[in-house]
Amino acid sequence: AQTVTQSQPEMSVQEAETVTLSCTYDTSENNYYLFWYKQPPSRQMILVIRQEAYKQQNATENRFSVNFQKAAKSFSLKISDSQLGDTAMYFCAFMKRTGNTGKLIFGQGTTLQVKP
Amino acid sequence: GAVVSQHPSRVICKSGTSVKIECRSLDFQATTMFWYRQFPKQSLMLMATSNEGSKATYEQGVEKDKFLINHASLTLSTLTVTSAHPEDSSFYICSARSEVKAETQYFGPGTRLLVL
């Protein structure tokens, strides 16, 4: 069975600074996807970034980038130039690629507060 | 594109009554939809996978007779909480899996259920 662990329940960062959220996972699968989702106070889940395990290159989306370490089963999210609108709960998630039922396995979440 | 709606957004009901929540994919077809439950400041807990034209697959510990799921069309899945009790009060979120991008789930805005 796959598990996803986010060991930082809460974090804070000053506006315009950089913050990194940690995520580790456990799986015996070789083909899978990893995601970071954002849930702001509105509670609407928003996809931030996606990584395909077979791609060595780290995914980036504007101010958001990941550090994907497949051997270490680590998938951290870096937010650069933090903005007040980045305040949200962030979830790391795993999805098998083969025999794909489409199930997402979520971590516990990290609440990020961006301070002015 | 890829919008998922949920209705209602909030519902208050009396203990013992049944409540139906709708999840619609507005601009794409979704043969698979997922239903999650989320408690405050916690992660999303998958309740069941809803498959168009077939019976839903429930996660371990989720009562299928309590949480009835119907996926009657490629754009609509419903979750009915039967004989609701105060402990069923929660935030319920649906997501729809894109057939074009099978690894991508699009989330609805959620439904807040309060059972008195």
Side-chain angles (χ1 to χ4, degrees):
Chain A
Q2 291 79 29
T3 59
V4 178
T5 303
Q6 293 176 250
S7 58
Q8 305 154 314
E10 297 181 351
M11 294 191 71
S12 64
V13 63
Q14 291 295 132
E15 193 175 10
E17 295 190 346
T18 296
V19 65
T20 299
L21 308 184
S22 300
C23 173
T24 58
Y25 59 96
D26 189 25
T27 184
S28 58
E29 299 287 328
N30 194 44
N31 291 317
Y32 50 87
Y33 298 97
L34 294 165
F35 305 85
W36 278 98
Y37 281 90
K38 166 185 177 180
Q39 189 180 41
S42 67
R43 302 191 79 172
Q44 170 73 60
M45 292 286 284
I46 301 166
L47 177 64
V48 175
I49 202 164
R50 177 180 63 225
Q51 176 79 42
E52 297 171 55
Y54 69 89
K55 290 187 177 179
Q56 292 186 345
Q57 187 173 6
N58 289 324
T60 63
E61 286 288 342
N62 301 313
R63 298 182 295 108
F64 299 88
S65 62
V66 297
N67 183 2
F68 173 47
Q69 300 290 328
K70 190 172 183 179
K73 295 180 182 174
S74 170
F75 184 62
S76 61
L77 175 69
K78 185 172 81 171
I79 306 174
S80 304
D81 186 24
S82 297
Q83 300 177 359
L84 296 178
D86 295 333
T87 292
M89 197 162 186
Y90 286 81
F91 294 98
C92 178
F94 172 99
M95 179 192 291
K96 285 170 54 176
R97 187 173 181 182
T98 54
N100 190 3
T101 61
K103 280 188 185 180
L104 281 169
I105 299 169
F106 286 96
Q108 303 92 323
T110 297
T111 299
L112 176 67
Q113 178 76 41
V114 180
K115 298 180 178 179
Chain B
V3 176
V4 176
S5 69
Q6 273 184 250
H7 178 80
S9 58
R10 300 183 67 175
V11 57
I12 301 173
C13 70
K14 292 182 178 180
S15 186
T17 61
S18 295
V19 175
K20 180 185 284 188
I21 303 170
E22 292 186 349
C23 177
R24 293 182 184 272
S25 55
L26 297 185
D27 49 5
F28 67 100
Q29 293 184 335
T31 56
T32 305
M33 292 184 174
F34 302 88
W35 287 96
Y36 299 87
R37 184 173 182 177
Q38 186 182 31
F39 292 104
K41 297 188 182 297
Q42 293 189 23
S43 189
L44 280 69
M45 182 190 77
L46 179 64
M47 299 174 66
T49 302
S50 170
N51 300 296
E52 188 269 336
S54 63
K55 290 184 178 180
T57 303
Y58 290 82
E59 295 299 302
Q60 192 172 8
V62 177
E63 299 176 60
K64 61 181 181 181
D65 295 330
K66 172 78 171 173
F67 299 99
L68 299 178
I69 291 172
N70 185 13
H71 194 154
S73 77
L74 288 172
T75 59
L76 174 64
S77 176
T78 60
L79 168 68
T80 301
V81 183
T82 62
S83 186
H85 289 96
E87 58 265 30
D88 299 323
S89 299
S90 191
F91 192 66
Y92 293 87
I93 305 174
C94 74
S95 70
R97 183 184 183 189
S98 167
E99 293 307 305
V100 176
K101 283 187 172 181
E103 74 279 11
T104 301
Q105 286 187 28
Y106 299 96
F107 285 82
T111 296
R112 189 180 304 277
L113 170 64
L114 177 61
V115 184
L116 302 177

